[in-house]
Amino acid sequence: SVLALDGVWGDGVNQIGRGDGIALLLLFSVFAYYTLRDLVRQRAGNSYKVPNLPVPQVARYGLGSAAAFTIAGLVLLGIGGEVTVNGAQGVARALGVSEAVIGLTIVAIGTSLPELVASVMAMARGQPDLAVGNVVGSNIFNLTIVAGTTASIHEIPVPPGGIWDLVVVIGLSVLLWLTSISHGRRIIRTEAVLLLGLYVGYLVGRTTL
Protein backbone atom coordinates (compact mmCIF):
# COMPACT_ATOMS: atom_id res chain seq x y z
CA SER A 1 0.00 0.00 0.00
CA VAL A 2 2.76 2.44 0.93
CA LEU A 3 4.62 1.76 -2.33
CA ALA A 4 1.59 2.79 -4.38
CA LEU A 5 1.20 6.21 -2.74
CA ASP A 6 3.89 8.00 -4.73
CA GLY A 7 1.67 11.03 -5.23
CA VAL A 8 1.05 11.30 -1.50
CA TRP A 9 4.72 11.23 -0.54
CA GLY A 10 5.92 13.41 -3.43
CA ASP A 11 5.03 14.72 -6.86
CA GLY A 12 4.85 11.35 -8.61
CA VAL A 13 1.89 9.36 -9.86
CA ASN A 14 0.10 6.98 -7.52
CA GLN A 15 1.16 3.63 -8.92
CA ILE A 16 3.15 0.49 -8.21
CA GLY A 17 6.10 0.98 -10.54
CA ARG A 18 8.68 -1.45 -11.84
CA GLY A 19 11.05 -0.54 -9.02
CA ASP A 20 8.31 -1.26 -6.50
CA GLY A 21 7.62 -4.59 -8.20
CA ILE A 22 11.25 -5.62 -7.97
CA ALA A 23 11.30 -4.56 -4.30
CA LEU A 24 8.24 -6.73 -3.61
CA LEU A 25 9.87 -9.72 -5.29
CA LEU A 26 12.99 -9.19 -3.19
CA LEU A 27 10.84 -9.06 -0.06
CA PHE A 28 9.30 -12.39 -0.99
CA SER A 29 12.73 -13.91 -1.54
CA VAL A 30 13.71 -12.81 1.99
CA PHE A 31 10.47 -14.27 3.38
CA ALA A 32 11.02 -17.53 1.49
CA TYR A 33 14.62 -17.74 2.73
CA TYR A 34 13.70 -17.44 6.40
CA THR A 35 10.72 -19.77 6.00
CA LEU A 36 12.85 -22.48 4.37
CA ARG A 37 15.60 -21.96 6.94
CA ASP A 38 13.14 -22.51 9.79
CA LEU A 39 11.78 -25.58 8.02
CA VAL A 40 15.25 -27.07 7.65
CA ARG A 41 16.02 -26.39 11.29
CA GLN A 42 12.78 -28.02 12.41
CA ARG A 43 13.45 -31.09 10.30
CA ALA A 44 17.01 -31.29 11.63
CA GLY A 45 15.77 -30.98 15.21
CA ASN A 46 13.24 -33.74 14.73
CA SER A 47 15.56 -36.02 12.75
CA TYR A 48 16.18 -38.21 15.79
CA LYS A 49 12.44 -38.74 16.23
CA VAL A 50 11.69 -40.88 13.24
CA PRO A 51 8.25 -42.49 13.51
CA ASN A 52 7.09 -45.41 11.46
CA LEU A 53 7.43 -44.02 7.99
CA PRO A 54 4.54 -44.64 5.60
CA VAL A 55 5.08 -46.89 2.67
CA PRO A 56 5.93 -44.75 -0.39
CA GLN A 57 3.03 -44.52 -2.76
CA VAL A 58 3.53 -45.62 -6.32
CA ALA A 59 3.22 -42.71 -8.71
CA ARG A 60 -0.16 -42.70 -10.40
CA TYR A 61 1.23 -41.20 -13.58
CA GLY A 62 4.53 -41.48 -15.38
CA LEU A 63 6.80 -38.52 -15.95
CA GLY A 64 5.44 -37.85 -19.43
CA SER A 65 1.80 -37.95 -18.33
CA ALA A 66 2.49 -35.81 -15.26
CA ALA A 67 4.30 -33.21 -17.38
CA ALA A 68 1.46 -33.18 -19.91
CA PHE A 69 -1.14 -32.69 -17.14
CA THR A 70 0.98 -29.90 -15.64
CA ILE A 71 1.28 -28.08 -18.96
CA ALA A 72 -2.42 -28.54 -19.67
CA GLY A 73 -3.26 -27.17 -16.21
CA LEU A 74 -1.10 -24.10 -16.78
CA VAL A 75 -2.71 -23.47 -20.15
CA LEU A 76 -6.21 -23.82 -18.68
CA LEU A 77 -5.18 -21.56 -15.82
CA GLY A 78 -4.16 -18.86 -18.29
CA ILE A 79 -7.41 -19.27 -20.21
CA GLY A 80 -9.35 -19.09 -16.95
CA GLY A 81 -7.59 -15.87 -16.01
CA GLU A 82 -8.39 -14.35 -19.41
CA VAL A 83 -12.05 -15.40 -19.15
CA THR A 84 -12.26 -13.99 -15.60
CA VAL A 85 -10.88 -10.61 -16.65
CA ASN A 86 -13.15 -10.37 -19.70
CA GLY A 87 -16.16 -11.45 -17.67
CA ALA A 88 -15.40 -8.90 -14.94
CA GLN A 89 -15.15 -6.14 -17.54
CA GLY A 90 -18.48 -7.19 -19.02
CA VAL A 91 -20.18 -7.20 -15.63
CA ALA A 92 -18.75 -3.76 -14.84
CA ARG A 93 -20.08 -2.33 -18.10
CA ALA A 94 -23.50 -3.96 -17.64
CA LEU A 95 -23.88 -2.62 -14.10
CA GLY A 96 -22.41 0.76 -14.93
CA VAL A 97 -19.74 0.58 -12.23
CA SER A 98 -15.99 0.82 -12.40
CA GLU A 99 -13.85 -2.22 -13.07
CA ALA A 100 -12.08 -1.52 -9.77
CA VAL A 101 -15.33 -2.18 -7.88
CA ILE A 102 -15.83 -5.49 -9.69
CA GLY A 103 -12.25 -6.44 -8.92
CA LEU A 104 -12.71 -5.60 -5.25
CA THR A 105 -15.94 -7.59 -5.00
CA ILE A 106 -16.78 -10.36 -7.47
CA VAL A 107 -13.25 -11.17 -8.61
CA ALA A 108 -11.76 -10.84 -5.13
CA ILE A 109 -14.40 -13.05 -3.53
CA GLY A 110 -14.20 -15.63 -6.32
CA THR A 111 -10.42 -15.95 -6.14
CA SER A 112 -10.50 -16.10 -2.33
CA LEU A 113 -13.04 -18.92 -2.07
CA PRO A 114 -10.37 -21.67 -2.19
CA GLU A 115 -8.57 -20.08 0.79
CA LEU A 116 -11.89 -19.77 2.65
CA VAL A 117 -12.77 -23.43 2.11
CA ALA A 118 -9.26 -24.60 3.04
CA SER A 119 -9.21 -22.54 6.26
CA VAL A 120 -12.69 -23.66 7.32
CA MET A 121 -11.78 -27.31 6.70
CA ALA A 122 -8.52 -26.89 8.63
CA MET A 123 -10.33 -25.42 11.64
CA ALA A 124 -12.96 -28.17 11.48
CA ARG A 125 -10.14 -30.71 11.71
CA GLY A 126 -8.49 -28.91 14.61
CA GLN A 127 -5.57 -27.49 12.61
CA PRO A 128 -5.55 -23.75 13.41
CA ASP A 129 -1.92 -23.34 12.34
CA LEU A 130 -2.82 -24.52 8.86
CA ALA A 131 -5.86 -22.24 8.72
CA VAL A 132 -3.91 -19.14 9.74
CA GLY A 133 -0.91 -20.07 7.62
CA ASN A 134 -3.15 -20.48 4.59
CA VAL A 135 -4.64 -16.99 4.97
CA VAL A 136 -1.38 -15.24 5.82
CA GLY A 137 0.60 -17.12 3.16
CA SER A 138 -1.97 -16.37 0.49
CA ASN A 139 -1.91 -12.65 1.26
CA ILE A 140 1.88 -12.53 1.35
CA PHE A 141 2.01 -14.33 -2.01
CA ASN A 142 -0.53 -11.96 -3.56
CA LEU A 143 1.15 -8.83 -2.21
CA THR A 144 4.66 -9.82 -3.23
CA ILE A 145 4.69 -12.36 -6.07
CA VAL A 146 1.45 -11.40 -7.85
CA ALA A 147 1.75 -7.63 -7.44
CA GLY A 148 5.53 -7.72 -7.78
CA THR A 149 5.54 -9.77 -10.99
CA THR A 150 2.74 -7.72 -12.54
CA ALA A 151 4.36 -4.39 -11.67
CA SER A 152 7.75 -5.58 -12.93
CA ILE A 153 6.17 -6.20 -16.34
CA HIS A 154 4.01 -3.07 -16.39
CA GLU A 155 3.30 -0.30 -13.88
CA ILE A 156 0.05 -0.69 -11.93
CA PRO A 157 -1.69 2.69 -11.64
CA VAL A 158 -3.96 3.32 -8.67
CA PRO A 159 -7.54 3.72 -10.02
CA PRO A 160 -9.84 6.58 -8.93
CA GLY A 161 -10.73 6.06 -5.28
CA GLY A 162 -7.98 3.51 -4.95
CA ILE A 163 -6.12 5.52 -2.33
CA TRP A 164 -8.97 4.99 0.11
CA ASP A 165 -8.92 1.28 -0.67
CA LEU A 166 -5.24 1.19 0.25
CA VAL A 167 -5.93 3.11 3.45
CA VAL A 168 -8.63 0.56 4.33
CA VAL A 169 -6.16 -2.28 3.68
CA ILE A 170 -3.65 -0.70 6.06
CA GLY A 171 -6.31 -0.06 8.72
CA LEU A 172 -7.75 -3.58 8.53
CA SER A 173 -4.26 -5.09 8.65
CA VAL A 174 -3.51 -3.20 11.86
CA LEU A 175 -6.89 -4.20 13.30
CA LEU A 176 -6.33 -7.85 12.41
CA TRP A 177 -2.94 -7.74 14.11
CA LEU A 178 -4.47 -6.23 17.26
CA THR A 179 -7.20 -8.88 17.41
CA SER A 180 -4.70 -11.68 16.85
CA ILE A 181 -2.54 -10.71 19.85
CA SER A 182 -5.49 -10.29 22.22
CA HIS A 183 -7.40 -12.97 24.15
CA GLY A 184 -4.47 -15.32 24.37
CA ARG A 185 -3.51 -14.81 20.73
CA ARG A 186 -6.90 -15.99 19.53
CA ILE A 187 -9.44 -14.32 17.28
CA ILE A 188 -12.69 -14.82 19.15
CA ARG A 189 -16.14 -14.93 17.56
CA THR A 190 -16.99 -11.36 18.56
CA GLU A 191 -13.88 -10.08 16.80
CA ALA A 192 -14.61 -12.28 13.79
CA VAL A 193 -18.13 -10.86 13.52
CA LEU A 194 -16.68 -7.36 13.80
CA LEU A 195 -14.21 -8.04 10.96
CA LEU A 196 -16.98 -9.47 8.77
CA GLY A 197 -19.19 -6.48 9.54
CA LEU A 198 -16.43 -4.06 8.61
CA TYR A 199 -15.87 -5.89 5.33
CA VAL A 200 -19.57 -5.83 4.45
CA GLY A 201 -19.73 -2.15 5.36
CA TYR A 202 -16.70 -1.47 3.18
CA LEU A 203 -18.28 -3.29 0.22
CA VAL A 204 -21.54 -1.38 0.61
CA GLY A 205 -19.74 1.93 0.86
CA ARG A 206 -17.41 1.15 -2.04
CA THR A 207 -20.15 0.05 -4.42
CA THR A 208 -22.34 3.08 -3.66
CA LEU A 209 -19.59 5.65 -4.27
Side-chain angles (χ1 to χ4, degrees):
S1 298
V2 176
L3 295 177
L5 302 179
D6 298 328
V8 176
W9 312 123
D11 298 329
V13 179
N14 292 322
Q15 65 177 8
I16 303 177
R18 286 190 172 89
D20 299 329
I22 294 174
L24 291 172
L25 293 176
L26 291 175
L27 284 175
F28 180 80
S29 65
V30 173
F31 167 76
Y33 167 77
Y34 283 104
T35 300
L36 292 175
R37 188 190 65 174
D38 292 341
L39 177 61
V40 171
R41 288 180 176 178
Q42 290 178 8
R43 290 178 63 87
N46 296 330
S47 60
Y48 63 91
K49 300 177 182 179
V50 181
N52 294 328
L53 298 177
V55 178
Q57 298 293 324
V58 178
R60 183 177 178 182
Y61 303 108
L63 177 59
S65 299
F69 281 122
T70 301
I71 295 174
L74 292 174
V75 172
L76 292 175
L77 184 61
I79 296 175
E82 182 70 17
V83 171
T84 301
V85 171
N86 292 335
Q89 291 175 337
V91 171
R93 295 191 186 98
L95 296 179
V97 298
S98 67
E99 295 175 2
V101 172
I102 298 300
L104 291 167
T105 55
I106 298 176
V107 177
I109 293 173
T111 56
S112 298
L113 285 178
E115 285 81 12
L116 174 62
V117 173
S119 294
V120 171
M121 292 298 296
M123 288 301 301
R125 296 175 181 176
Q127 299 173 316
D129 291 347
L130 180 59
V132 175
N134 172 57
V135 174
V136 174
S138 175
N139 281 277
I140 291 177
F141 187 87
N142 286 332
L143 291 173
T144 56
I145 292 296
V146 176
T149 302
T150 304
S152 298
I153 298 173
H154 192 281
E155 295 87 351
I156 306 175
V158 177
I163 293 180
W164 293 110
D165 296 325
L166 297 176
V167 172
V168 170
V169 170
I170 296 174
L172 289 178
S173 298
V174 173
L175 180 59
L176 179 61
W177 177 73
L178 292 174
T179 57
S180 64
I181 63 176
S182 62
H183 301 94
R185 296 185 177 181
R186 293 182 300 118
I187 300 177
I188 61 177
R189 285 187 174 88
T190 302
E191 295 170 337
V193 172
L194 172 63
L195 292 172
L196 288 173
L198 289 174
Y199 177 69
V200 172
Y202 163 72
L203 289 184
V204 173
R206 192 63 174 85
T207 53
T208 55
L209 291 177

